[in-house]
Amino acid sequence: MKNIYPTLSLFIILAAAMQPAIAQTPSDAIMMNQRESCFGLIYENSWFDEYWEGTYLRTNGTIATVKRNTITPMIAIGAFDRLNLIVAAPYVQTESTEPNGGKFAGAKGFQDLSLALKGEVLKKQAGNGELALLTTAGFSTPMTNYLSDYRPYSIGFGANELSLRGILQYKLNNGFYARAAVAYLWRGQTKAERDYYYNNGSFYSAWMDVPSCWNYHAVAGIWMLGNVLKLEANYMGLASTSGDDIRPYNAAQPTNKVSFGQAGVLAQCYLNKPKGLGGLAYYSQALYGRNTGKSSQFGVGLTYQFRI
Amino acid sequence: MKHHITISILKVCIGLCALFIVSSCEKDIPVQADYTDYVYSSMDEDGGSWKPILLTGSSQIAVPAPADVSSDAYQNELAALKTATSNLTGSQMEAVEYWSNNPILRWNEIALELVAKYNLIPGPNADGTYTLPDPANPGNIPHFPFAHPPYAVRALSYLSVAQFDGLITSWFYKFTYNRPAPGQVDASITPAYVDNSLPSYPADGAVVAAASRDILTAMFPLEKDYLAAKAEEQMASLQWAGINVESDVTAGAAIGEEVAKAALARAATDGMKKAQCPKPISDSLKTAAFNRFGWQWDNIEVPPRPVGLTPLFGQVKMWNVPTVEEVRPPVPPAPGTAEYEENVKELKHYADDMTEEWRAIANFWQDGLGTYTPPGHWNRIAKEYVLKYQLNPLRTARLFAYLNMAMMDAGISCWDAKYYYHYPRPINQIPGYKTIAGTPNFPSYTSGHSVFSAAAAEVLTYVFPEEGAKFRDWALEAAISRVYGGIHWRFDAEVGTAQGINVANYTINVAKADGAD
C-alpha cells in the first residue's frame, strides 16, 4: 500500500522542499557548488484508513488505520559545480491503530539506501527568468533484510531501483517558479520468505517482480521575504507499467500494479542566523489510486548547510 | 570541458547501475515444474491387480476389446495419427512437451493453482454481515468456492483417488488386451516421448484428462470452460505425441468419466455440504465446550464473523479411519495451569525477540489466504519427489491418492478436535498480543498445519523411505512455524503432529495392502 513508496515520496517531497541554496534532491532543479554540502533530517507521519483494492476504494477492519513513521537522514554533496551526489537512509516504523481485527505486529527498521547523481545539462536566461534542465540518475537498495512481502506493514518494496529523471524549471526573477519532472523507475525483484505465490497464476519461487513505474511531478511556488520563506503547491503522480491487482479482501503483495496521484503544500524557511540552518513542513494527500492506501502525510524537517 | 566530464561520470554511473540490476536481480520466475518426458523407474505390469479405493475392482468399469491392429478401423486411425504427427504446429509441439508422459503432475499443478485462485475469505458487507459463497450460484459474490484448507484437501483427495482408480482400471485393460503402441505397429511413427513397453489401449493419459476435468469442474464450477480446454488439449496431445490412436483416447476418456462419477457420488454425500453450519449449531458447539471445559474460542475480527470455518468438517466421512472419535487427541492444558503459563511465556518470547530465522520459518510454511494451502504445499513437495524418483503415472496417482486421503482424514480429525475442544487462540488470551501470521477463523487446538504436515510426511516417508528424515523434519518445522507466527500454542503443534502421524497410519495400512508393494 502506501508503504511501497516511502523513499520515493520522501524524495518527491524533498524535491519540493529543499529548493534554495541550502539543499537539493534528485528531482529538484538545484545544484550546489563544489564542496558545498547540506545535511537534512526529516520526520514524516503518514496514515490511511481506506485503500484501493484494484480501483475499488474500501476500508478493512482487519488493519483499521495503518500508520507509518519515517525518519530520514540525508546529505547532499557538491562533488563538482555541475554534478552533485545525494544520499539518504530512511528508518521506517509501521503499525495499525487499535482496535483492529487482525492483531498483526507492525514492522520497523532501516529501509533502502539511496544514492543519486544529479547533473546540470542546461541553465540559461530566458525572458524574465531562468530556464534550467537537469537530469538525475539514482540507485537504491535495501539496507536490511526487511520483509517486503508483509503488506501493509512492510517498510519497503525490497528491491533494487534504478531511476532516471529529467527536470525542467522556469523561475521568474520575481520569485515565482514552476517545475516539472518525469522519471522512469526500474525496479528489480524482491525476495519473499515463501516459495509459492499467486500473481494471476502460480509462481514457484520466492522472487517477485516489483513493477517498474513512471513518476511525474509538477510544482508551482514562490520565494518570499527575500529568499527567507518559500511556499509551494505540488502534485505527484506514479503509474506502474505492470503488475496484478489486490484480490478481494486479500492482502496486497509486492507484485501489485500501484498507481496514485497526490497533491500537497509545503513551506520552507532559510535562516540567516544561525547561518546555514533551515526548516520545512509539508502536507500531502492522495487523490486517486490503485492498489495503494489513500494516504495523508505530513512532515517536518531541519536542514543545515556547510562547506567541506 | 567540465561539462563533458560530468556527463561522462553520469554515463558510467548509469551503466554500472544498469549492469548491476540486470545481472544480479532479474531472474526468470518458474510458473510450473520444469520437466519433460522421462524413463519410468518401473512399469508395474501388475498394476491392474492393485486394489482401487472407490471401485470394487479393476474391471468394475467395463471396457470393450479394441479392434485388432490389422483391422481397417485401426489402420485408418494409424493413418490419421501419422498425418497428425507429421504436421505439428508450434503450439501443438508445446502442448506435447508441456503435458509430457506424466500429465498427473500437470493436473496437480492446475488444481493447486485453482486452490490459490479461490482461497479468498469473504469480506464483510457494508452492514457488518458476511455472505457465504453459494454453490448453487457460484458466480455470485463472493465466488464459490472459498478454497480454504479443508476444501482444498478434499478437492485434491477426490482428484487423486479418481486418477488412481482410473489408472488401475486402465492398467488392467492395457495388459488384458495388450494392444501395442502405434510406434510398435508402424516403425515410421516415432513417439515424442521416451519409448516404453506400455500397451496403448486404453490411453492412460485420457483417463487422467477426463477424470481430472470432471472432478475439478465439480470442485471449481466457474472454471468449467478452462478445464474443458485443458483436457481437450491434453487428449489431443496424446495423438500429436504419436503414443495413442483415437480409439485408445476414447476408451481412456470413458474410464475417466466413469471413475469421476463414482468419486463425485461419494463427494455428494460425504457431509461437506453441511460443514459450514448455521450459527445456532455453531453456537451450540461453543456452549458445549464451555460447559465441558470452561473455555471457548471466539472470532474477534472486525466485524466479528458469526461462524467459524466449517465447524462440522470434523463430521465429514473419513477415507480410512472408522470413527473420528478414536483419533481425537486428549484434552489440552487448561488456562492457568503451569504448562499453559509456560506456553504463554514462550509465545511472548517469540513475539518480543523475533529473529529473522523464526520469521522466515513462519512465512515459509504459512500457506495462508490466497495460496495453495498446507495440503497444496505438500502436494508440491510430493511432485518434486515423483520427478526425482521418476514414477510412472500409476505410481504417481497412488502417491497422491494416499497422500491426499491421509491429509483429508488428518484435517477431519483436526477439525473434530478444534470444535470439540473449542480452544482459544493466543490473541484471545494474551492481552495486547500481536502476531506476524494471520490468525485463522477457527479454534486453536490442534494446529491444522501440524496435523496436515505430519500426515503428509508419514505417507511420503512410506513411499520414499530413504527421504523420510527430511520429510519428518519439514513437518516438525511446519508445526513449530505456527508457534513462531504467534497463532498457535506449542501444545497445538506437538499434539497435532502426533495426531497427524496416528491418522496417517490408517491410510498407510490400506496402502500396504493394496498389492503395490
Side-chain angles (χ1 to χ4, degrees):
Chain A
M1 304 191 180
K2 174 60 199 170
N3 53 3
I4 36 197
Y5 296 108
T7 309
L8 179 66
S9 60
L10 199 77
F11 271 166
I12 300 307
I13 288 152
L14 289 172
M18 307 175 86
Q19 182 73 357
I22 57 158
Q24 62 153 322
T25 66
S27 57
D28 69 16
I30 295 304
M31 296 299 292
M32 286 191 301
N33 291 328
Q34 192 170 7
R35 303 192 64 185
E36 275 186 317
S37 290
C38 177
F39 177 76
L41 188 67
I42 292 144
Y43 167 76
E44 181 181 288
N45 181 282
S46 156
W47 67 96
F48 69 86
D49 55 14
E50 292 178 297
Y51 65 95
W52 287 280
E53 182 180 275
T55 54
Y56 166 60
L57 185 63
R58 66 167 306 150
T59 60
N60 188 333
T62 301
I63 56 175
T65 296
V66 176
K67 298 186 296 181
R68 181 183 189 84
N69 291 300
T70 306
I71 295 172
T72 304
M74 64 174 294
I75 190 162
I77 299 164
F80 299 95
D81 287 352
R82 289 182 164 191
L83 182 72
N84 290 182
L85 171 68
I86 307 159
V87 182
Y91 182 90
V92 182
Q93 180 259 332
T94 62
E95 65 182 341
S96 275
T97 53
E98 302 281 353
N100 64 74
K103 312 289 181 202
F104 280 101
K108 61 183 182 217
F110 277 100
Q111 189 215 43
D112 301 335
L113 177 68
S114 62
L115 309 165
L117 283 169
K118 181 157 70 174
E120 186 182 280
V121 178
L122 176 78
K123 188 174 190 177
K124 66 179 225 180
Q125 286 296 314
N128 288 329
E130 186 184 70
L131 187 69
L133 178 65
L134 302 95
T135 180
T136 308
F139 178 72
S140 75
T141 189
M143 277 185 285
T144 56
N145 188 29
Y146 68 81
L147 181 60
S148 57
D149 182 30
Y150 187 53
R151 301 293 180 81
Y153 306 107
S154 47
I155 63 172
F157 59 79
N160 291 338
E161 178 189 275
L162 176 66
S163 61
L164 197 59
R165 174 175 279 111
I167 304 158
L168 186 66
Q169 175 171 283
Y170 186 65
K171 185 178 177 188
L172 290 167
N173 297 332
N174 62 10
F176 282 102
Y177 63 91
R179 186 173 72 246
V182 179
Y184 191 74
L185 315 177
W186 286 270
R187 290 180 174 171
Q189 294 176 336
T190 187
K191 196 173 185 186
E193 290 178 335
R194 51 181 169 147
D195 65 352
Y196 175 86
Y197 60 95
Y198 186 88
N199 173 7
N200 291 329
S202 291
F203 284 82
Y204 289 88
S205 170
W207 290 99
M208 296 177 166
D209 279 327
V210 181
S212 295
C213 44
W214 289 99
N215 172 221
Y216 318 87
H217 69 275
V219 178
I222 182 171
W223 275 98
M224 304 163 71
L225 310 174
N227 281 1
V228 167
L229 179 67
K230 182 180 79 170
L231 295 175
E232 131 179 338
N234 50 61
Y235 181 83
M236 193 266 277
L238 183 138
S240 292
T241 56
S242 63
D244 60 341
D245 281 333
I246 300 173
R247 295 189 285 157
Y249 204 61
N250 204 36
Q253 64 184 23
T255 57
N256 291 147
K257 179 173 195 160
V258 173
S259 302
F260 64 89
Q262 69 181 37
V265 290
L266 171 141
Q268 183 174 12
C269 64
Y270 170 61
L271 305 175
N272 287 320
K273 273 188 178 180
K275 189 168 166 49
L277 196 65
L280 61 94
Y282 61 85
Y283 172 83
S284 66
Q285 166 68 53
L287 302 178
Y288 74 91
R290 177 173 182 157
N291 301 312
T292 189
K294 191 178 181 186
S295 290
S296 305
Q297 47 270 314
F298 75 86
V300 291
L302 286 173
T303 58
Y304 180 67
Q305 188 189 2
F306 55 97
R307 283 188 69 81
I308 49 174
Chain B
M1 185 63 199
K2 204 169 182 180
H3 190 71
H4 284 286
I5 291 170
T6 57
I7 296 298
S8 300
I9 293 170
L10 262 179
K11 279 181 181 168
V12 168
C13 291
I14 292 166
L16 284 175
C17 290
L19 193 67
F20 179 74
I21 289 204
V22 170
S23 64
S24 72
C25 292
E26 296 295 334
K27 297 170 180 69
D28 275 340
I29 303 175
V31 296
Q32 61 193 38
D34 179 20
Y35 75 102
T36 55
D37 61 301
Y38 56 85
V39 180
Y40 303 143
S41 55
S42 67
M43 292 309 302
D44 294 308
E45 289 85 348
D46 66 341
S49 67
W50 296 357
K51 192 175 179 328
I53 307 295
L54 289 170
L55 303 177
T56 52
S58 43
S59 58
Q60 182 190 323
I61 298 170
V63 176
D68 191 82
V69 292
S70 61
S71 67
D72 286 349
Y74 183 84
Q75 288 299 322
N76 288 341
E77 288 189 340
L78 205 60
L81 190 71
K82 275 202 241 185
T83 310
T85 52
S86 57
N87 295 300
L88 292 189
T89 65
S91 66
Q92 287 170 339
M93 283 190 274
E94 276 174 29
V96 167
E97 192 171 337
Y98 167 76
W99 288 104
S100 83
N101 63 349
N102 194 350
I104 287 190
L105 300 180
R106 294 303 183 207
W107 281 104
N108 195 263
E109 285 179 341
I110 290 167
L112 298 196
E113 183 166 300
L114 293 180
V115 168
K117 181 176 180 180
Y118 284 88
N119 183 10
L120 297 174
I121 193 169
N125 303 314
D127 62 359
T129 61
Y130 288 89
T131 303
L132 294 173
D134 178 5
N137 298 288
N140 287 1
I141 303 294
H143 288 163
F144 176 84
F146 166 23
H148 46 72
Y151 192 91
V153 75
R154 176 174 170 270
L156 290 166
S157 57
Y158 283 107
L159 172 68
S160 306
V161 164
Q163 290 170 340
F164 183 43
D165 279 14
L167 286 185
I168 290 174
T169 304
S170 140
W171 244 250
F172 173 78
Y173 288 109
K174 278 175 186 291
F175 290 95
T176 300
Y177 297 130
N178 279 307
R179 175 192 265 186
Q184 290 170 324
V185 178
D186 185 334
S188 72
I189 295 173
T190 309
Y193 304 140
V194 287
D195 217 356
N196 60 50
S197 56
L198 209 56
S200 72
Y201 179 94
D204 49 298
V207 175
V208 172
S212 304
R213 175 199 62 207
D214 290 357
I215 299 288
L216 290 177
T217 300
M219 298 295 171
F220 300 95
L222 296 177
E223 302 296 331
K224 185 175 184 220
D225 294 343
Y226 165 76
L227 292 164
K230 283 282 185 189
E232 192 180 340
E233 181 192 80
Q234 193 220 318
M235 286 197 232
S237 76
L238 299 170
Q239 294 191 63
W240 298 334
I243 61 167
N244 291 115
V245 296
E246 193 181 344
S247 54
D248 296 335
V249 174
T250 308
I255 295 173
E257 285 164 17
E258 283 306 307
V259 78
K261 276 182 204 159
L264 293 174
R266 185 194 190 275
T269 56
D270 68 0
M272 189 63 176
K273 280 180 189 158
K274 297 180 192 159
Q276 192 60 51
C277 64
K279 190 170 190 302
I281 295 176
S282 163
D283 286 349
S284 72
L285 297 174
K286 186 187 291 191
T287 306
F290 187 81
N291 291 339
R292 200 176 279 130
F293 306 111
W295 62 64
Q296 68 183 39
W297 164 79
D298 289 294
N299 178 291
I300 54 170
E301 286 177 56
V302 179
R305 289 180 193 273
V307 178
L309 184 75
T310 57
L312 298 186
F313 185 62
Q315 294 179 14
V316 167
K317 188 177 173 188
M318 299 177 92
W319 288 102
N320 298 312
V321 182
T323 63
V324 74
E325 288 80 11
E326 71 189 83
V327 286
R328 183 180 288 161
V331 184
T337 59
E339 187 184 354
Y340 171 87
E341 293 301 339
E342 197 56 39
N343 270 257
V344 170
K345 208 169 125 189
E346 182 182 12
L347 279 169
K348 284 182 177 170
H349 169 54
Y350 294 141
D352 294 343
D353 310 317
M354 179 58 60
T355 66
E356 287 187 1
E357 187 193 355
W358 297 338
R359 187 188 78 183
I361 290 170
N363 284 312
F364 183 78
W365 295 104
Q366 183 160 198
D367 300 321
L369 293 168
T371 73
Y372 52 28
T373 76
H377 197 152
W378 285 97
N379 274 260
R380 180 255 184 94
I381 291 169
K383 174 180 73 181
E384 288 163 4
Y385 285 85
V386 165
L387 289 170
K388 180 173 177 185
Y389 288 90
Q390 308 214 309
L391 302 193
N392 66 44
L394 177 62
R395 284 268 165 196
T396 306
R398 180 175 183 265
L399 166 60
F400 280 124
Y402 290 119
L403 172 72
N404 288 317
M405 282 194 291
M407 284 200 290
M408 181 166 163
D409 283 358
I412 290 168
S413 172
C414 178
W415 251 249
D416 165 69
K418 281 181 182 295
Y419 285 93
Y420 179 76
Y421 293 116
H422 230 281
Y423 203 81
R425 294 269 179 181
I427 57 167
N428 298 99
Q429 296 290 101
I430 306 172
Y433 196 65
K434 292 195 172 86
T435 68
I436 60 165
T439 299
N441 176 34
F442 36 84
S444 198
Y445 181 82
T446 51
S447 145
H449 279 57
S450 310
V451 184
F452 285 128
S453 299
E458 290 309 297
V459 174
L460 285 168
T461 301
Y462 158 67
V463 176
F464 306 109
E466 54 274 60
E467 310 279 358
K470 197 162 41 186
F471 297 139
R472 286 171 169 152
D473 278 353
W474 288 343
L476 290 175
E477 190 178 87
I480 199 67
S481 79
R482 310 303 276 168
V483 188
Y484 295 155
I487 62 170
H488 271 294
W489 313 97
R490 175 176 281 278
F491 52 79
D492 294 341
E494 289 179 349
V495 178
T497 298
Q499 184 183 8
I501 293 169
N502 183 28
V503 172
N505 278 324
Y506 288 79
T507 288
I508 291 168
N509 287 336
V510 172
K512 284 176 176 168
D514 75 353
D517 284 344

